Amino acid sequence: QVQLVESGGGLVQPGGSLRLSCAASRSLFSLNTMAWYRQAPGHQRELVAAFPKTGSRIYADSVKGRFTMSRDIANNTVDLHMNSLQPEDTAVYYCNTQAWNGLQWEDFWGKGTLVTVSS
């Protein structure tokens, strides 16, 4: 199956920046939309950004203008560049995608990486 491994989380001060990476175990060409989700304490998991195979990248209103998603086809990796981080961005960030199993599209998730924004 598909393995997704996130990295880059950590502690950062308000106004700081972090780059999260998600490494997939197979070519991105074999996968559907790559996406980043996050789950903050006391909140539901929410979509942060998505990179469809076709069309424009999608961002949640709360991160638009601050976060940028990119992909590196050669390295089977997608990144989330986070700028101007705020305490409200504190959450576990998860990488997500879908793969065809012969019958249907199946969701795959990474284990998550913790981002803490605090003074």
Side-chain angles (χ1 to χ4, degrees):
Q1 295 185 325
V2 180
Q3 291 180 297
L4 301 173
V5 181
E6 304 98 334
S7 62
L11 175 65
V12 64
Q13 295 183 1
S17 300
L18 281 176
R19 187 196 71 177
L20 305 183
S21 293
C22 172
S25 62
R26 63 158 88 165
S27 172
L28 301 186
F29 289 120
S30 71
L31 304 174
N32 200 18
T33 299
M34 302 295 297
W36 286 97
Y37 287 75
R38 69 184 181 186
Q39 187 164 19
H43 291 73
Q44 299 273 43
R45 187 173 299 187
E46 64 175 347
L47 177 68
V48 177
F51 203 136
K53 280 191 169 182
T54 59
S56 300
R57 285 164 286 182
I58 299 168
Y59 299 96
D61 287 342
S62 59
V63 307
K64 197 169 299 180
R66 300 189 297 118
F67 291 11
T68 302
M69 191 172 177
S70 62
R71 68 181 182 184
D72 185 340
I73 298 295
N75 291 297
N76 298 346
T77 300
V78 295
D79 289 354
L80 184 67
H81 302 262
M82 306 186 296
N83 300 313
S84 301
L85 285 162
Q86 305 167 18
E88 309 90 80
D89 297 315
T90 295
V92 177
Y93 285 72
Y94 299 91
C95 186
N96 164 261
T97 192
Q98 306 84 44
W100 183 253
N101 66 7
L103 295 175
Q104 62 185 15
W105 292 99
E106 183 177 3
D107 269 335
F108 292 92
W109 296 86
K111 294 180 180 179
T113 185
L114 176 62
V115 173
T116 302
V117 185
S118 176
S119 298

